[in-house]
Structures are given as C-alpha cells and as structure tokens.
Amino acid sequence: MMDLLDVLFSAGLWAAVLRIATPLILGTLGELLCERAGILNLGIEGIMTFGAMIGWLAVYNGADLWTGMLVAALSGAAFGLLHSLLTVSFGLSQHVSGLGITLFASSLAYYLFRLLVPVVGIPPKILSFQPLNVPGLSDLPFIGPALFTQTAPTYVAMLLAVLMGWVIFRTPLGLAIRMTGETPHAAEAQGINPTAVRYGAVTVGSALMATGGAFLTLSAFDSFIPTMVQGRGWICIALVVFATWRPGRALIGALLFAFFDAFQIRLQTMLTGAIPYQLFLMMPYVLSIAALAATARRARVPQALMQPYRRGER
Amino acid sequence: MSETLLEIANVSKRFGATLANDDISLSLAKGEIVALLGENGAGKTTLMNILFGHYQPDSGHIRVMGKDLPPGRPLAAIRAGIGMVHQHFSLAPNLTVLENVMTGTESLWRPVSDAATGRRRLMELSRRFGLETDPDARLGDLSVGEQQRVEVLKSLYNHARVLILDEPTAVLTTIEAEHLFATLRDMARQGLSLIFISHKLDEVMATADRIVVLRGGRKVAERLRGGTTKAELAELMVGRAVHRPERKMSPPGEVVLEARGVTLRRGGVDRLKAVDFDLHAGEVLGIIGVAGNGQTSLSAVLSGTARRTTGELRLFGAAVGDLSVPEVVDAGIGRIPEDRNHEGVIGEMPLWENAVLERLSRFSRGGLVDRRAAIAFAQRIIDGFDVRGGTPLSRTRLLSGGNIQKLILGRNLIEHPRILIAAQPARGLDEGAVAAVHGRILAARNAGAAVLLISEDLDEVMALADRIQAIVGGRLSPPVARETTERGQLGLMMAGEWEGAHAV
C-alpha cells in the first residue's frame, strides 16, 4: 500500500502522464472538430501513423523539428481533404472511407519508410524535442519535475485544447460548425455553406491528428516504428464520446487515460511475477470503457453526425 | 397597395419529367399578405424554394426592390431581406434559441461572438411582435408552436422585409394557429410583406389580402379576398367541383369495442393514461388531438402492435387479453395506419402482395402463395376502390399518396370489417382524394361498421364523426356529440380544457 502511494507521489509518474497524454490530446481535438461538423473520421489511426512517419522523415533528412511537425500537419490535411472528398462531396459511407484511409495511410507510411530509409538492425534515430526549462517553475520542488519538464509540443497541445474550446463555444465560426454538425439544412438556410464548413473542419482536424502522431517520433521517442501508434487513434475516438464533444473534457479525458496508462506501467514493475503483465496492459482500456459507459449515456451527439448533406434534399 | 417589394417573373422549374413550376409570375407589395393556395404537388413549395435560393430556376427571375436576385443562393436572399419559415423547421434542436437565431449573422472570422448584443436585439424583436421566447432554452425542449416562433424571429433578426411561411399551420393547434395569424396581420401592419403557403381554405379566406392559386405547376388564378368565395377557390384549386360527402344522422348500434382504464407505459412514460371509450356499430367516433399526444399508442394497442400495460378491453361484449395482429385481423378489425408509406404498405413490393399480406394464410395453398387468387383479389380492390396508376403487378411506391390510401382502404373495407381503426386517413392527401377517402369511410359506417377515426384535422372530424373525444397528453376527454359542439369548443378540448364539455 505504501508503495502505491509512493508511486502516486513520484514526480516521474506525473511527468509521464503529461507525455503520454499529448498525442491523445491532439488526436482527440482533431477528431472532435471533425465530428462537431458531422463527419466521423476513422482515418485517424492511419493519419497519426503517417504523421509520425513523415514528420520523422523530414527531420531525418535535415529539417528542423517544428518543420517536421508542419510537414506532418500538411500530410494530415491532405488525408483530410481526401476524406472530405469521399464523404462530403460524394456522400459515401463515413465508416468505409475512414477505415479505408486508415489502411491506406498506414500502409503508405510503412512503404515510404522502407523505400527511403535503409534497412538496418536498430532503427535510425533523430535528435528529438528536449524538455523545456520554464524559468522559475521548473525548479520548484515536486511540481517542477512533475509538470514543467515537458517538451514544447505538450504545452502547445494544452493551449490548443483551450483555444479549441474558445473557438467552438465563443466564436461565430464555432457556432457555424456546431450548426452544421446538428442540422446542415438549417445552416444553409442561414447562409452558411455546410460543404465548406465540413471540408474545413475535416482538413484542420486531420492535420491535428497527424501532429499527434508526429509527437511520438519527434518528442516521445526518436525513431519511427510502423506499429508505434498502437490504437491511440481508436482511443481518441472513444475519448471524443467520453468528452461529450467538448474540448475541455477531451483534455481531462486524455489526461485520465494517460494516468491509467502511466500507473499501470509502474504497477507492472512493482508486482512483477504475481500477476501476468498483460492484465496491467489491459487496465487503461477497461477503465476507459467503464468511464465511457458512465458518462456517455447522457451525451448529446451531434444530430447530423454521419449523415451526408446534399443540397435541395430534406 | 403601395410600392412593389418583390417580383417573381416567369419562373419555370423542371424536375426530370415533371414541370414543377410553369411560367409563374407573382408580385408582392409592402404590408401585403398573399396566400399561395394549391394542392399537394401544385408547385407552391418549389416556387418558394426558388425564391429563397434553395433551388435554381430553369428560367425566369426574381427582383427585390427592383434589383435582380442572384439565383440559387440563400445568403443572397437573406441579404435582400427575404426570410423563410420552413414547414420542417430549419433549426438545430441541441442548440439554444439564441444560438439558432445568431448562426450565420456575424462574420465567421470574428474572434468572439457578440452574444450580448444578439440577445438584446432578439428580445427587442420578441417584444415588438409579441413573439415570446426564452433565448437560453434548448430548442429541442420547446413545443412545436414555440419553435415556430423562433423560426419567425430568426427571419426578423436577419432584417427580413418579406417573410415566406410554408404551411405554417400544419403543425399547430387551432388556438396556436389563430394566434399565429393575429401575429402575421400585426406584422403586415408594421410594414412587413408576407407570403404564406396553404391548402386550407378557411385560413386563406381569414388572413390573406390577395390569393394566388396554383394547380399543376401553373398559376391558374389570382383573386382579392373580397372578390372570391371558398367554393370558387376550392374549384380553382382542384380544377373541378369537388363535393365532400355529407354525413346523415343515423341511430348507432350496439357497443362493439369498449375500453376501460387502458394505460400504455413505454420507455418509462405513460403514453396512454386510463383511456375510456365505447365504440358503437354504425357510428364514427372521432379522436381529435394534435400529433404526439398518444394517438400512435392508441392505434397501436387496438391494432395489436403494442400491449397495454393495464386496463380492460371488451370486443363484441367479451373481455380480451393481449391482442396479436393476426387475432385483430381475424376478429374483423380493419386498420388504416397513420404512416401509410412505412406501416401501411411496403413500397418496393407489388400491389397484389400488399393487398394480401395481412391475410396471407387465406391465399396459400400447400405452403405456397396462390398468386392467381391473390392477383384477382388485388384487381377487385383496384376496380372497386378506384385505385389509379397501377396494375396488381406494379410496384406500390409508384402510386400517389391518395391511391396508396385507396389501396389500404380497399383491402380493409372489401371484406366488410365490423370495426375500422382509421388513423389520420386523409393526412397529406389533396382535395379530390380526401373526398374519396371520406366517402368510403362514411359508406362503411352507413353499412354498420364501427369507425374509430383518429385525426388532428378539425374539419375532418367535424365532417365525419358522430361523437368526438379529444386526446391530450395520453388522456381522453369524455365524448361530446358532434351536433351540439362548436369548433371553438373542440379547439379548447384539444388544448386540454374539457371541464365544461358535456358527456353523451
């Protein structure tokens, strides 16, 4: 029991929570933006994988780290445009298009990686983002090492959550996005172009997802492994529901999931041998399902989610 | 009237093979109320959708204050001061009233929405036109009448000078409708111009300054209110003189269906609350009420598609338990479901299959469907009930609504049922089809059938029913006799006020 408390009060745990949460925050915000406009984007898993690869590849070939992030974002935007073309312009099934993009993007990522990077025993590395030293705060006891030893993209992700909350609930643009996700016909009757809104939301949202993937290769780790996204995209889909489509809650949900994950890693090492470690691997997912079941039933789903919009049809 | 505000000139629009609008011209002056009268499919809604920019016309143009309006762009219509109150509201149920009203009214790239100013303006308009609303209420929590007020306010908020209302009373109670028209007249006095679409002669004659009649996509007449009569308008609208059948008094027979304290609980809500009624042979018992007050549950319980939670049902004097659909059909209960396209027929199947589906065992031989007998049966219905536009082998969804309804009526009435449960039998039908359906229902009654008529149309109930009960929030009022009841009293009963009603 004492050991458990020790874990909870170790600065290392909390630092890990923030690190693990970052790609989830970015992915969840991206998915949330798509769904607020009425488009489910199951391409997220593949878009994150491709973002992780292309961002890393750019840096490996000499670009600086922020340029790597930007390249990842642009690749995500391109997949977002493809998803918009299929689901918004052609009105195809959003499930099928999204899953197709996931398969396509992850395979393409692996293919390009193999094509452009020589096969060696140990994956090549880059110099990743280094922890930012926040003057004054980083030196505080406990709080400093727990919360202020992160790399810059983590702080940016948190700020983005606040910004996204502002945009969605406080600006005319956010209202237009919400109206489009609820009733595109009503948006059109108010002079808003639902097709443009959906294209924009899916493109920007997909770009965010890709930066979430790039965080893995440019900050959390320093090399690319084709399977490294490991279902984080699917976790983001669940987190959007958990968050009831609110950016602030998305931030909390991502942190909560990251906490379970960081905690289980430490439990594994503490209780090694007594319980098979796979059980601990399962824990964050089981707890997320429980949390999802508890919160999501009262959620107000965007009414037009997954409904294609065609002009003149009601 | 004064200056011309809006001019529609020679507008035509074709959808595939049908000419929805054929060279229609129309003008509207400041402060004027014009009614666009016509049957279903006459092209009223198409014309208004062109005006508002939802559709592009094939030819013709629209001028507002002398300036051409670019076609196919709702934003241009809004900017020119045209507001539209859609029949199926263009509102988002999960957003608040204020959010619904403000969407699209500010530049999308403003860093923050000016909700305080928006709220002030909304409340100002609300006071000025007597359209009460709560800006922070979630739209989906409001009643249909309240939602319509929001839809009107939304147009006013957009500085509309011309307001188009598409069948505004289709979803309202009589009292709400009267209130709405009072508001509309007040708006016209304040200088707004209004066009409302309707097929109800009473409201057109009561409210419009000028009446434009459309039929088959063409403008067939234009009349000032003072220069026409309801009868003339009806004839113009239908293209021939239509006579609704008349009900003649006749003494009712014995009680065939009796309900005592029937309650239906579904999803934790009492859909029917201790409902009592007696249905006599040879009478029409009208159940009047605004949609969504338990009518669907009532017809489901009587049709065998829902099981009552408590209460007693007596059929031909004998208590019955839970009814199944085959038992209902075997007992000689005919059913006209509320939603004919989803519950009444299966559109992809041919007429003959729809004709025999509920009595399939009678048209089976050795486990196979006796096609020849079934097709002959369907042909008898087609001949006997004047079903037009199809043969027994053609797909049912190709029929018009009125002919689908005649098919459903026919398959029920051809066997002379002792009880007929007719839910919204004339909903959405045009004048000619309404007359046919009403005629058949009255004929069945005269032949001794007991008819339970569930309807939200006051005129329909007044025309067909011998006795009337109102349904409000799952409760049934005591019955009143048609002969001693005024429309106004029924309007009050539909709003839940029946303390003064005299039971018969």
Side-chain angles (χ1 to χ4, degrees):
Chain A
M1 205 56 214
M2 276 318 288
D3 292 347
L4 278 181
L5 285 179
D6 284 347
V7 169
L8 279 180
F9 287 111
S10 73
L13 173 81
W14 296 102
V17 167
L18 293 186
R19 190 180 62 244
I20 295 171
T22 303
L24 299 176
I25 295 170
L26 291 168
T28 307
L29 291 178
E31 182 68 32
L32 189 145
L33 187 59
C34 298
E35 293 191 18
R36 273 288 184 181
I39 303 287
L40 178 73
N41 192 346
L42 294 183
I44 182 169
E45 181 81 6
I47 291 172
M48 287 180 85
T49 306
F50 197 89
M53 193 281 295
I54 201 83
W56 181 89
L57 193 67
V59 175
Y60 182 70
N61 283 312
D64 73 65
L65 289 161
W66 288 108
T67 309
M69 278 286 179
L70 182 69
V71 169
L74 290 175
S75 77
F79 284 114
L81 278 176
L82 176 64
H83 190 53
S84 306
L85 181 74
L86 296 174
T87 58
V88 181
S89 298
F90 298 162
L92 302 181
S93 154
Q94 299 181 6
H95 292 104
V96 175
S97 166
L99 290 175
I101 283 175
T102 280
L103 293 173
F104 172 58
S106 9
S107 311
L108 187 65
Y110 189 33
Y111 176 68
L112 289 179
F113 182 67
R114 271 287 150 261
L115 208 63
L116 299 173
V117 179
V119 182
V120 284
I122 307 159
K125 291 180 187 309
I126 51 143
L127 184 65
S128 60
F129 278 104
Q130 297 304 306
L132 215 58
N133 192 14
V134 187
L137 296 172
S138 297
D139 301 328
L140 293 173
F142 185 71
I143 307 237
L147 301 182
F148 295 103
T149 54
Q150 302 298 323
T151 61
T154 298
Y155 301 117
V156 172
M158 308 244 173
L159 286 178
L160 274 178
V162 177
L163 182 69
M164 178 90 78
W166 177 271
V167 168
I168 286 185
F169 292 111
R170 294 267 184 262
T171 67
L173 178 66
L175 188 52
I177 295 171
R178 281 187 287 149
M179 180 69 96
T180 301
E182 292 284 341
T183 330
H185 295 289
E188 203 206 349
Q190 287 284 78
I192 290 164
N193 179 346
T195 306
V197 170
R198 287 187 160 181
Y199 260 88
V202 174
T203 304
V204 173
S206 303
L208 280 177
M209 295 168 187
T211 58
F215 178 84
L216 294 173
T217 50
L218 300 185
S219 179
F221 307 101
D222 48 15
S223 51
F224 172 74
I225 303 155
T227 57
M228 73 192 308
V229 175
Q230 279 188 324
R232 283 183 177 84
W234 309 137
I235 295 291
C236 292
I237 304 251
L239 282 174
V240 171
V241 182
F242 174 83
T244 60
W245 291 270
R246 288 162 182 274
R249 290 193 202 169
L251 181 62
I252 293 167
L255 289 171
L256 198 64
F257 182 86
F259 170 74
F260 292 147
D261 203 19
F263 196 56
Q264 66 88 12
I265 294 169
R266 282 157 182 77
L267 278 185
Q268 270 186 51
T269 50
M270 272 170 56
L271 302 172
T272 186
I275 304 167
Y277 77 93
Q278 287 89 345
L279 216 60
F280 294 108
L281 282 178
M282 235 166 61
M283 195 181 85
Y285 302 95
V286 173
L287 287 174
S288 331
I289 292 173
L292 194 60
T295 58
R297 264 180 307 170
R298 281 167 294 134
R300 289 199 173 118
V301 188
Q303 295 288 299
L305 184 60
M306 290 184 278
Q307 287 173 12
Y309 168 75
R310 294 190 188 91
R311 272 197 83 187
E313 265 177 33
R314 326 209 107 229
Chain B
M1 288 273 165
S2 54
E3 55 190 307
T4 299
L5 198 60
L6 172 79
E7 206 184 339
I8 297 176
N10 311 98
V11 164
S12 294
K13 173 79 182 171
R14 182 181 284 282
F15 289 111
T18 44
L19 198 54
N21 283 167
D22 184 3
D23 195 30
I24 297 178
S25 300
L26 176 70
S27 71
L28 184 66
K30 188 163 185 274
E32 193 185 23
I33 303 182
V34 167
L36 206 53
L37 182 71
E39 294 204 300
N40 295 324
K44 301 168 296 199
T45 301
T46 303
L47 184 64
M48 291 303 109
N49 277 330
I50 289 172
L51 175 53
F52 193 64
H54 283 311
Y55 298 152
Q56 285 220 7
D58 295 336
S59 62
H61 37 202
I62 292 156
R63 272 187 290 273
V64 183
M65 312 269 294
K67 264 191 283 183
D68 267 343
L69 189 68
R73 286 185 44 211
L75 192 58
I78 293 172
R79 295 249 165 89
I82 297 173
M84 182 146 177
V85 175
H86 295 83
Q87 188 177 1
H88 308 286
F89 307 139
S90 284
L91 297 168
N94 274 343
L95 303 187
T96 67
V97 168
L98 185 63
E99 287 173 337
N100 267 290
V101 169
M102 285 189 70
T103 303
T105 58
E106 298 171 289
S107 158
L108 288 186
W109 310 114
R110 272 181 69 115
V112 59
S113 171
D114 190 358
T117 306
R119 176 187 306 265
R120 223 170 19 247
R121 265 198 60 211
L122 177 65
M123 295 323 286
E124 210 176 280
L125 288 168
S126 161
R127 267 192 302 277
R128 181 167 148 210
F129 292 101
L131 293 156
E132 227 174 276
T133 193
D134 170 9
D136 297 312
R138 184 179 156 269
L139 192 99
D141 294 336
L142 303 181
S143 75
V144 176
E146 291 168 319
Q147 293 190 16
Q148 191 178 53
R149 285 208 287 274
V150 176
E151 183 95 331
V152 173
L153 279 167
K154 201 171 76 170
S155 294
L156 297 174
Y157 190 94
N158 282 328
H159 305 282
R161 282 169 300 174
V162 177
L163 200 58
I164 307 162
L165 299 105
D166 188 1
E167 307 236 0
T169 58
V171 290
L172 301 184
T173 62
T174 316
I175 292 169
E176 282 175 325
E178 278 164 14
H179 188 82
L180 172 73
F181 282 121
T183 309
L184 295 186
R185 280 190 292 268
D186 184 44
M187 286 177 175
R189 269 194 297 277
Q190 298 199 35
L192 263 78
S193 309
L194 300 124
I195 300 180
F196 76 97
I197 297 177
S198 178
H199 60 239
K200 295 180 187 164
L201 297 169
D202 290 307
E203 64 188 37
V204 166
M205 287 300 283
T207 310
D209 300 314
R210 199 149 51 88
I211 299 148
V212 171
V213 186
L214 295 189
R215 188 173 76 231
R218 316 178 74 118
K219 182 165 123 180
V220 291
E222 187 166 349
R223 297 279 185 276
L224 288 175
R225 180 187 27 189
T228 186
T229 60
K230 271 207 283 187
E232 189 203 13
L233 288 177
E235 198 171 330
L236 285 168
M237 184 163 81
V238 184
R240 61 193 151 84
V242 169
H243 300 289
R244 290 236 185 146
E246 295 225 345
R247 187 179 59 94
K248 294 185 181 64
M249 286 290 281
S250 69
E254 79 280 18
V255 174
V256 292
L257 178 61
E258 199 181 334
R260 288 291 172 270
V262 170
T263 297
L264 176 71
R265 203 174 166 75
R266 244 189 201 175
V269 181
D270 282 340
R271 309 277 168 182
L272 285 180
K273 295 172 188 161
V275 161
D276 293 338
F277 66 84
D278 294 316
L279 182 62
H280 298 260
E283 74 156 358
V284 175
L285 173 61
I287 305 287
I288 182 121
V290 183
N293 273 296
Q295 292 95 327
T296 310
S297 302
L298 179 62
S299 65
V301 164
L302 300 177
S303 307
T305 52
R307 287 180 179 179
R308 62 187 187 270
T309 313
T310 56
E312 234 183 286
L313 272 185
R314 297 176 77 82
L315 195 55
F316 309 118
V320 288
D322 287 328
L323 292 166
S324 70
V325 174
E327 281 166 5
V328 167
V329 174
D330 289 344
I333 300 181
R335 299 157 307 151
I336 298 171
E338 184 180 329
D339 184 347
R340 59 181 154 267
N341 294 315
H342 290 110
E343 287 179 62
V345 295
I346 301 164
E348 291 305 316
M349 294 185 7
L351 266 66
W352 73 265
E353 290 184 341
N354 277 301
V356 299
L357 212 50
E358 63 185 6
R359 45 179 74 86
L360 206 49
S361 54
R362 277 193 24 221
F363 291 94
S364 309
R365 242 186 356 208
L368 298 174
V369 177
D370 184 352
R371 276 178 69 109
R372 188 173 302 175
I375 289 171
F377 180 73
Q379 191 62 52
R380 266 174 58 214
I381 294 175
I382 290 172
D383 296 341
F385 289 82
D386 191 27
V387 181
R388 289 181 210 176
T391 66
L393 296 178
S394 50
R395 267 187 304 171
T396 308
R397 71 175 175 81
L398 300 176
L399 298 184
S400 71
N403 282 303
I404 288 181
Q405 195 70 319
K406 284 191 246 172
L407 172 71
I408 294 171
L409 258 175
R411 94 181 161 207
N412 282 298
L413 293 180
I414 200 165
E415 309 253 277
H416 305 293
R418 298 179 63 189
I419 299 174
L420 179 69
I421 294 156
Q424 321 289 359
R427 183 192 271 173
L429 300 186
D430 53 36
E431 198 60 32
V434 170
V437 167
H438 284 182
R440 292 295 181 176
I441 289 175
L442 283 179
R445 161 201 180 256
N446 295 340
V451 180
L452 188 75
L453 171 72
I454 300 172
S455 176
E456 54 187 350
D457 181 348
L458 207 54
D459 295 315
E460 178 174 47
V461 169
M462 293 298 270
L464 298 184
D466 299 288
R467 291 183 308 135
I468 302 166
Q469 291 179 268
I471 186 163
V472 179
R475 294 194 306 133
L476 270 190
S477 73
V480 294
R482 157 71 182 87
E483 265 60 37
T484 58
T485 306
E486 297 290 319
R487 291 173 59 93
Q489 187 192 344
L490 280 183
L492 285 174
M493 284 169 66
M494 287 167 78
E497 289 173 36
W498 54 61
E499 306 319 329
H502 292 290
V504 284

